Amino acid sequence: MRGGDGGGPGRVDRVMVATDRSETAERAVRFAAAMAQRYGARLFLVQVVVPENPGGTEAGLAEATRAGAAAAGLARYAEELAGDRGTARVVVDDDPAGAIVRAAEEEGVDVLVVGNAGMSGRREFLLGNVPNRISHSARCTVIIVNTTPGEATERGSPRLAAIRGGRERHTDAPTLTPRAARIGAVLARHGLRELFARPEPDTEAQRRAQAQRLRAALEELGPTFAKLGQVLSTRPDLLPPAFIEELATLQDNVPPLTEAEVVHVMEQELGVPWEDVFESIDPVPMAAGTIAQVHRATLTDGERVVVKVQRPTARAEIEQDLGLLELFAERTARRPAFRQVVDMPAVFEHLSSSLHRELDFRREAANIERMREVLSPYPRLDVPRVYRDLSTDRLLVMEEVQGVPVRAAPPGPERREAARQLLESYYRQILTDGFFHADPHPGNLKWWNDRIYFLDLGMVGEVGPEMREHLMLLLMAFWQEDVQFLTDVTFMLAGGADRSDIDIDRFREELGQLMAKHRNLALREIQLGPILQEMTEIAIRHDVPLPASLALTGKALAQMQLAAAELDPELDPFEVAGSFLMRSLVGRIRDRADPKKLFYEAQKLKVRFARLAEAMERLAGTRPGPKLQVNFRAEPLERTVHQAGRRLSLGITAGAALLGSAMTASAEVASWVPAALGALGGGLTLALVVDLLRGRP
């Protein structure tokens, strides 16, 4: 502490408090007045008026008059608090924090008291953080008084230091009943029964009217359901085409966060005042979405960045609506008629996983870094740099891409080269790396420093090794015009669907018609995107469950081909695909020719041949050890042979007995001999008849 006039070290002779005469600021004033009285110190009250109008205008003069009246009122208030020790001053300034610090220096105060709330005005990003800025700039002792009713001050608490690592946010479970009632009312108003029923007659116009009612209902239900529609618009395997087209036009219509809310989330995630990290933050958001809001900002070292801040209520609202949707999905799972319109359990599963991924910004940061590796062979493609040390699950800080929309890229060789690399990179992403940007619309592609930057990697797709092999087989089937093999590959993609209700012949016929559209094309001339989209449509019509990633892959490839065509209308996509496939084939051969891999494969082959030779020697009896035994038992065949042998024996024996009876009857033998033979033949014949009738083994 600094000493005042005639005061020694440790004395408090001058106390200043900042106020805006609000009810919350009154707490800081009372605190400062009590301190001044305790030390017998002078009390200075300072109030900063932020001008709304230029000083030379009529409105500006009126503001100055009001400031003069406020100064007189503040002086009387200071006298009431501290008598002749009380002094007041009113300052008109655009920078409240700076004005307060300057006033404290001019008055030579020992202690400066400010409240942590109650300072609102035109520039809330500055005003809302006046205490933080003062604490960093003032040369005297600064006391920040908690003036927020019912809240404990977070700053400086042990809890805040642990915010960045392993946070636990406990949110009371919201009551589902009011929200469910609201959803039911909205759906009823938009025609619940007609919305999800199969229209009679089931025409395209009727189906499109249903889709429009669904879009309107989702927009009215708010952010989570708007996100539901946006997610569903990427799933042609779950909804009919009319619904996909309508939902693709759905907008968030989300009101932006207040500046105070943005600051609260940022400081909660950073664990320090925002001024410690950022020099400035643009109060006008670049975008306000269902889950997050994006602002431009500048770091303290001058670097320009983009800050993505999660809405404080996003997680709680999404979890509430997902809980209701899960109940709804469970109810509809047992109704086949409803599932003919939309597979709600599949919709819920996809939506839930998508939203939970988007709620964790660390996943998006990891996607950006992974995409950087995928794009490394392409100098004209890039992604923004991520500031990992400043990013959390609710805050993402990235390099600001300061360019223009990709469509506005200046003409030249760089643009044409970038178009080619853009298209080729998608073949690589899907067929080689199995990781791709799932929403490459023009708004997510930007041109800067002669490069195309991929933005917003919250939605990505992944293709497993098995599916990548199947996609290559699909291309080969088209190349060889083999409809039967194409059908087999499609069922392999579907996981071996073998239901008896699938019209295989009709399914094969439609695939053949698709192939006919691409007939006589070389392998390099086959465009994978449109093919996958058309195959998905055929599969949907025949209820063949192709994996969701295939539909997403087809849509992303088609979007990317359109973007590349806009950059370079003369680009030959067939040649790009062909050159990529050839390089990919050469790369595979080169990888297989790697000496280490060759040695490894040779050793495996050597072991297998040795084991095969041992087995053959044991079979031949030239090597000691367990012999190869083959146990063959075909019980139905064995039973049939026994049955036929028994009946043949009965028939032959019965016939011989009867023949012997007839021959001995005319011979001179005892009379009992032909009788006995006749009785034996009759008995055997009867047994044969009974065996034949009973069919007993």
Side-chain angles (χ1 to χ4, degrees):
M1 277 185 199
R2 57 181 297 174
D5 294 340
R11 289 186 55 82
V12 177
D13 294 326
R14 295 168 177 255
V15 176
M16 177 177 283
V17 60
T19 180
D20 63 356
R21 303 302 303 274
S22 66
E23 183 178 349
T24 51
E26 180 70 13
R27 299 188 180 195
V29 173
R30 295 293 180 183
F31 180 92
M35 173 178 280
Q37 183 177 5
R38 183 166 63 251
Y39 286 99
R42 295 186 61 186
L43 178 66
F44 296 87
L45 270 62
V46 61
Q47 180 179 353
V48 180
V49 176
V50 179
E52 298 285 344
N53 301 281
T57 63
E58 183 177 349
L61 293 175
E63 283 184 351
T65 302
R66 287 194 296 272
L74 191 65
R76 289 192 298 270
Y77 183 43
E79 187 176 354
E80 292 175 6
L81 291 171
D84 59 359
R85 292 181 293 105
T87 305
R89 63 188 295 182
V90 173
V91 181
V92 179
D93 201 304
D94 281 327
D95 183 3
I100 293 170
V101 170
R102 286 192 296 273
E105 291 178 353
E106 291 170 4
E107 297 293 345
V109 301
D110 302 299
V111 176
L112 177 57
V113 179
V114 293
N116 68 342
M119 298 183 180
S120 61
R122 179 168 60 88
R123 294 168 61 185
E124 294 181 9
F125 256 94
L126 292 175
L127 297 173
N129 286 273
V130 166
N132 299 335
R133 298 187 61 209
I134 289 174
S135 66
H136 286 274
S137 304
R139 299 179 181 178
C140 61
T141 299
V142 178
I143 298 177
I144 300 177
V145 178
N146 179 24
T147 60
T148 305
E151 286 188 12
T153 304
E154 285 188 20
R155 187 161 292 111
S157 67
R159 167 83 174 142
L160 190 63
I163 279 181
R164 291 203 56 183
R167 285 178 299 278
E168 293 183 5
R169 301 185 180 89
H170 301 284
T171 304
D172 294 335
T175 304
L176 297 183
T177 303
R179 180 60 172 163
R182 163 72 174 160
I183 294 171
V186 171
L187 291 178
R189 186 163 57 255
H190 288 276
L192 175 63
R193 294 177 63 87
E194 294 81 5
L195 188 62
F196 294 111
R198 185 172 292 277
E200 295 293 344
D202 189 3
T203 63
E204 178 63 22
Q206 290 284 354
R207 184 63 68 192
R208 192 165 295 278
Q210 282 183 322
Q212 292 172 352
R213 289 199 294 272
L214 177 60
R215 178 188 56 77
L218 293 178
E219 284 183 345
E220 186 173 346
L221 285 172
T224 304
F225 283 82
K227 193 67 179 180
L228 167 71
Q230 293 170 354
V231 171
L232 289 178
S233 69
T234 67
R235 293 297 303 272
D237 57 321
L238 297 180
L239 290 178
F243 283 77
I244 296 297
E245 294 174 10
E246 190 67 31
L247 293 180
T249 66
L250 194 148
Q251 301 297 321
D252 285 356
N253 294 325
V254 180
L257 295 172
T258 65
E259 294 167 355
E261 288 174 318
V262 173
V263 167
H264 177 72
V265 174
M266 290 175 60
E267 295 189 340
Q268 194 176 36
E269 297 303 301
L270 293 169
V272 296
W274 70 270
E275 299 95 333
D276 287 0
V277 178
F278 301 100
E279 180 68 27
S280 64
I281 301 175
D282 187 349
V284 179
M286 297 173 61
T290 301
I291 291 177
Q293 186 162 299
V294 181
H295 289 263
R296 290 187 178 91
T298 304
L299 297 177
T300 53
D301 60 4
E303 291 191 55
R304 294 173 60 176
V305 296
V306 169
V307 183
K308 186 174 182 179
V309 182
Q310 189 172 121
R311 290 180 171 272
T313 59
R315 184 175 296 275
E317 291 175 353
I318 286 173
E319 293 293 354
Q320 173 182 273
D321 286 340
L322 285 177
L324 290 170
L325 286 172
E326 184 176 17
L327 292 175
F328 184 59
E330 291 175 355
R331 299 288 177 85
T332 60
R334 297 184 293 273
R335 299 189 178 185
F338 186 92
R339 295 192 69 167
Q340 288 181 350
V341 181
V342 56
D343 187 352
M344 197 62 200
V347 168
F348 169 77
E349 182 180 355
H350 179 65
L351 176 66
S352 178
S353 60
S354 297
L355 288 177
H356 282 113
R357 282 196 302 269
E358 291 195 45
L359 283 170
D360 188 351
F361 291 172
R362 291 171 299 188
R363 298 283 294 271
E364 183 173 350
N367 291 340
I368 293 173
E369 296 302 330
R370 184 175 176 184
M371 183 59 70
R372 189 188 313 280
E373 296 179 6
V374 173
L375 298 179
S376 59
Y378 303 101
R380 296 292 177 192
L381 307 178
D382 208 344
V383 292
R385 182 162 59 95
V386 177
Y387 293 80
R388 299 299 293 264
D389 56 332
L390 302 178
S391 301
T392 68
D393 61 338
R394 295 202 304 163
L395 182 70
L396 182 61
V397 182
M398 300 171 288
E399 170 189 24
E400 181 187 358
V401 177
Q402 304 166 32
V404 297
V406 69
R407 292 173 175 172
E414 294 84 3
R415 173 173 173 149
R416 293 192 297 273
E417 185 181 358
R420 181 185 182 88
Q421 292 184 11
L422 179 65
L423 185 56
E424 183 177 314
S425 74
Y426 250 71
Y427 287 105
R428 174 185 172 89
Q429 290 175 44
I430 292 172
L431 295 176
T432 302
D433 296 282
F435 175 78
F436 63 95
H437 193 311
D439 192 22
H441 62 78
N444 285 336
L445 300 174
K446 213 164 187 180
W447 181 267
W448 186 41
N449 292 336
D450 294 334
R451 293 182 180 182
I452 296 175
Y453 280 79
F454 287 71
L455 306 180
D456 191 6
L457 272 86
M459 183 182 295
V460 297
E462 297 199 42
V463 181
E466 185 177 2
M467 181 175 290
R468 295 202 296 270
E469 293 294 333
H470 289 161
L471 289 176
M472 293 299 296
L473 292 176
L474 182 147
L475 288 173
M476 296 297 178
F478 268 89
W479 181 33
Q480 294 297 319
E481 301 182 17
D482 190 341
V483 178
Q484 179 61 54
F485 185 55
L486 178 63
T487 305
D488 295 341
V489 172
T490 306
F491 279 112
M492 290 165 63
L493 285 168
D498 55 357
R499 300 195 315 271
S500 59
D501 59 334
I502 298 177
D503 188 346
I504 301 295
D505 293 335
R506 180 58 184 164
F507 184 65
R508 185 185 302 113
E509 180 182 349
E510 292 196 27
L511 288 179
Q513 293 171 358
L514 171 63
M515 181 176 288
K517 293 172 58 176
H518 302 271
R519 187 163 294 164
N520 300 323
L521 295 179
L523 177 61
R524 65 183 182 87
E525 298 175 324
I526 297 175
Q527 297 186 67
L528 192 55
I531 289 174
L532 294 180
Q533 284 190 302
E534 292 184 59
M535 284 189 61
T536 300
E537 293 172 3
I538 295 172
I540 291 171
R541 286 197 295 271
H542 289 270
D543 196 24
V544 176
L546 291 178
S549 57
L550 188 67
L552 203 60
T553 300
K555 179 181 178 181
L557 262 174
Q559 284 183 319
M560 188 52 57
Q561 289 174 351
L562 290 176
E566 286 188 359
L567 284 170
D568 184 6
E570 298 180 0
L571 178 66
D572 183 359
F574 301 150
E575 191 273 332
V576 173
S579 62
F580 167 76
L581 289 173
M582 293 304 102
R583 283 202 307 273
S584 178
L585 178 61
V586 172
R588 289 189 179 188
I589 295 174
R590 185 171 56 249
D591 290 343
R592 295 289 178 87
D594 180 67
K596 294 181 180 178
K597 289 187 177 181
L598 287 175
F599 178 75
Y600 174 68
E601 295 295 335
Q603 294 304 309
K604 287 201 304 184
L605 192 62
K606 175 183 175 182
V607 171
R608 288 172 179 169
F609 269 116
R611 295 183 63 184
L612 178 62
E614 291 177 4
M616 295 299 294
E617 290 175 352
R618 290 194 184 99
L619 179 63
T622 59
R623 175 185 285 267
K627 302 295 189 295
L628 178 65
Q629 295 181 349
V630 179
N631 295 319
F632 178 79
R633 184 177 180 84
E635 292 187 359
L637 177 61
E638 187 177 345
R639 188 166 54 247
T640 301
V641 171
H642 280 298
Q643 187 181 61
R646 182 177 64 251
R647 290 174 179 174
L648 183 62
S649 299
L650 286 174
I652 293 175
T653 306
L658 292 175
L659 180 60
S661 176
M663 293 177 64
T664 55
S666 60
E668 295 181 356
V669 295
S671 57
W672 62 269
V673 175
L677 290 174
L680 177 61
L684 293 173
T685 302
L686 180 62
L688 178 60
V689 172
V690 171
D691 190 25
L692 290 172
L693 292 176
R694 294 179 60 183
R696 184 178 58 192

